[in-house]
Amino acid sequence: MRRTVTILGATGSIGRSTRAVIAENPEQLQIAALVAGRDAVGLARIARETGASFAAIADEGQGGELAAALAGSGIRHGAGREAVLEAVERDSDIVVSAISGAAGLEATFAALTPGRVVALANKESLVCAGAAVMGRARAVGTRVLPLDSEHNALFQVLGAEPISAVRTMTLTASGGPFRTWSAERIAGATPEQALAHPNYAMGAKITIDSASMMNKGLELIEASFLFGLGAEQLEVLVHPQQIVHGLVTFRDGSVSAGMAVPDMRVAAAHCLGIDGRLDAPPSRFLDLVAAGPLVFERPDLARFPALRLAMAALAEGGAAPAVLNAANEIAVEAFLAGRIGFPAIPALVEAVCARARSVSRPPADVAEALAVDQDARNRARALLSEGGFAVT
Ligand SMILES: NC(=O)c1ccc[n+]([C@@H]2O[C@H](COP(=O)([O-])OP(=O)(O)OC[C@H]3O[C@@H](n4cnc5c(N)ncnc54)[C@H](OP(=O)(O)O)[C@@H]3O)[C@@H](O)[C@H]2O)c1
């Protein structure tokens, strides 16, 4: 029997990788529903190509465009929050959570239903409300499989070992386009330079996060909730080739590495295969000799302060990660819009975190997480409009 897959964030980079794996395995996998944010025409095209039964666009204003683009197809569709939730609630064995940012939290949470697999790429869901998301998954019996490549590697390496066997988990980072740049040069980085990721073609937000290394900080927080480890057991190594995605050091000194070519279709295939393995085409097999020497470096927290801030939020716990994430989303938006320079991203995040009301309890549910998120966004916007971070 073919497994059915609903994709949240179908028009994005992870959506594309997921669709590619499904297209490679038509006997095993079939699309159920699709969700996108604003790209109605792209969503309609994908829905027609994949034979989806339902397509939802989050932006209400795009409903007419989606209806026009799907006219005559027989594909049911809707627009706005209710339509997104309808897509999630429709029958499917696997939900791929790949909306960008905290905007993905509500739909991801709604996808946690008994017996389902949620393949989680949307790390911000765990950063904002990790305790609530993982608690609900356990309570209702949803399997959360990490689609983020580092976490997917760590998950596979851990296998059936108990988490008590683990001394540390190491997440690798490419180091982004500014890995070898001086702090002075990074200070003048343009959006175009920051968007030039060395290994992956990803959405704009995660690409900027990779350049600032905030992405690795968000991933540390994600890992802490996925695996139940504290900050002191989670480490980062810069590894520009991105062949080793994660390392597990066990208590007896054994170290196991999760490796693969840097291609998100590998992690997507693992999640979509659930307990079996799907076949990959030859280009997706790792040739270690061709990959050349593998380099590992310690992250430089002075040149990449965003990683330091995320580590501090992880150590602080409570609502601190949700505040950090919201401030970062506003800062990245402002940087991409040319309103602030690159160093103002961590500076704004730090300022918002410093002013945030200290909430020691993690958000208990989506509503609480979104309230913290909104409050931090308001603070970030207020600081931006005061002008202290503006590009001169
Ligand atoms: N790309 C990667 O290699 C990678 C790797 C690991 C983890 N991740 C994580 O996966 C997530 C997606 O990343 P991405 O690179 O695929 O981003 P992306 O290319 O920007 O795609 C984002 C997707 O989310 C949709 N979307 C945006 N806002 C939405 C909303 N309010 N409601 C519903 N849908 C919305 C977009 O729809 P429109 O196109 O219509 O705007 C698009 O389909 C992020 O959390 C990222 O951290 C990505």
Side-chain angles (χ1 to χ4, degrees), residues 57-120:
I57 193 94
D59 184 341
E60 294 242 34
Q62 297 299 314
E65 185 116 24
L66 182 63
L70 284 175
S73 68
I75 299 169
R76 290 174 53 90
H77 53 85
R81 176 175 173 269
E82 296 306 321
V84 171
L85 293 176
E86 182 182 343
V88 173
E89 280 156 19
R90 286 178 150 247
D91 239 20
S92 70
D93 301 309
I94 305 171
V95 173
V96 173
S97 162
I99 292 172
S100 173
L105 172 60
E106 191 178 27
T108 302
F109 199 83
L112 302 169
T113 56
R116 234 190 202 162
V117 165
V118 169
L120 188 70

Side-chain angles (χ1 to χ4, degrees), residues 211-300:
S212 70
M213 290 197 73
M214 177 61 89
N215 183 52
K216 212 47 54 180
L218 299 178
E219 288 183 0
L220 285 174
I221 300 168
E222 178 185 15
S224 80
F225 287 113
L226 275 172
F227 299 109
L229 293 178
E232 67 293 347
Q233 284 181 283
L234 293 165
E235 294 173 356
V236 172
L237 275 182
V238 173
H239 167 48
Q241 294 80 15
Q242 290 197 288
I243 298 294
V244 175
H245 299 278
L247 296 158
V248 177
T249 301
F250 292 98
R251 282 166 46 200
D252 61 6
S254 308
V255 181
S256 298
M259 297 195 277
V261 291
D263 183 326
M264 289 309 297
R265 288 172 294 188
V266 177
H270 172 257
C271 292
L272 296 175
I274 307 186
D275 292 317
R277 295 277 176 179
L278 301 171
D279 289 318
S283 62
R284 231 162 285 155
F285 289 94
L286 176 60
D287 178 343
L288 269 177
V289 175
L294 301 184
V295 172
F296 296 90
E297 301 161 358
R298 297 210 187 283
D300 181 345

Side-chain angles (χ1 to χ4, degrees), residues 35-361:
V35 171
R38 308 197 57 195
D39 180 5
V41 171
L43 177 63
R45 181 182 46 76
I46 294 166
R48 284 177 184 270
E49 279 170 12
T50 59
S53 57
F54 187 75
I57 193 94
D59 184 341
E60 294 242 34
Q62 297 299 314
E65 185 116 24
L66 182 63
L70 284 175
S73 68
I75 299 169
R76 290 174 53 90
H77 53 85
R81 176 175 173 269
E82 296 306 321
V84 171
L85 293 176
E86 182 182 343
V88 173
E89 280 156 19
R90 286 178 150 247
D91 239 20
S92 70
D93 301 309
I94 305 171
V95 173
V96 173
S97 162
I99 292 172
S100 173
L105 172 60
E106 191 178 27
T108 302
F109 199 83
L112 302 169
T113 56
R116 234 190 202 162
V117 165
V118 169
L120 188 70
N122 175 244
K123 64 197 79 181
E124 294 90 347
S125 289
L126 290 187
V127 174
C128 294
V133 168
M134 295 308 288
R136 173 154 174 94
R138 273 190 295 275
V140 303
T142 308
R143 282 183 73 188
V144 176
L145 296 182
L147 206 162
D148 218 347
S149 55
E150 296 77 4
H151 307 73
N152 184 272
L154 293 166
F155 180 87
Q156 294 199 48
V157 166
L158 184 62
E161 295 261 10
I163 198 68
S164 57
V166 173
R167 184 167 190 269
T168 54
M169 282 187 172
T170 305
L171 288 80
T172 59
S174 70
F178 307 145
R179 180 177 69 91
T180 58
W181 287 28
S182 67
E184 294 68 34
R185 197 167 165 217
I186 294 174
T190 63
E192 197 186 18
Q193 290 168 325
L195 284 169
H197 193 276
N199 300 335
Y200 285 105
M202 308 182 287
K205 194 263 178 184
I206 182 176
T207 308
I208 300 300
D209 285 349
S210 298
S212 70
M213 290 197 73
M214 177 61 89
N215 183 52
K216 212 47 54 180
L218 299 178
E219 288 183 0
L220 285 174
I221 300 168
E222 178 185 15
S224 80
F225 287 113
L226 275 172
F227 299 109
L229 293 178
E232 67 293 347
Q233 284 181 283
L234 293 165
E235 294 173 356
V236 172
L237 275 182
V238 173
H239 167 48
Q241 294 80 15
Q242 290 197 288
I243 298 294
V244 175
H245 299 278
L247 296 158
V248 177
T249 301
F250 292 98
R251 282 166 46 200
D252 61 6
S254 308
V255 181
S256 298
M259 297 195 277
V261 291
D263 183 326
M264 289 309 297
R265 288 172 294 188
V266 177
H270 172 257
C271 292
L272 296 175
I274 307 186
D275 292 317
R277 295 277 176 179
L278 301 171
D279 289 318
S283 62
R284 231 162 285 155
F285 289 94
L286 176 60
D287 178 343
L288 269 177
V289 175
L294 301 184
V295 172
F296 296 90
E297 301 161 358
R298 297 210 187 283
D300 181 345
L301 299 185
R303 282 187 305 131
F304 297 98
L307 177 57
R308 172 177 57 77
L309 295 172
M311 286 169 153
L314 170 60
E316 185 180 336
V323 172
L324 170 102
N325 181 68
N328 181 58
E329 288 194 23
I330 297 297
V332 169
E333 244 176 59
F335 171 67
L336 284 171
R339 289 183 65 196
I340 62 173
F342 192 72
I345 297 176
L348 181 62
V349 171
E350 186 156 31
V352 173
C353 290
R355 283 169 178 75
R357 184 164 41 93
S358 168
V359 184
S360 55
R361 193 170 52 80

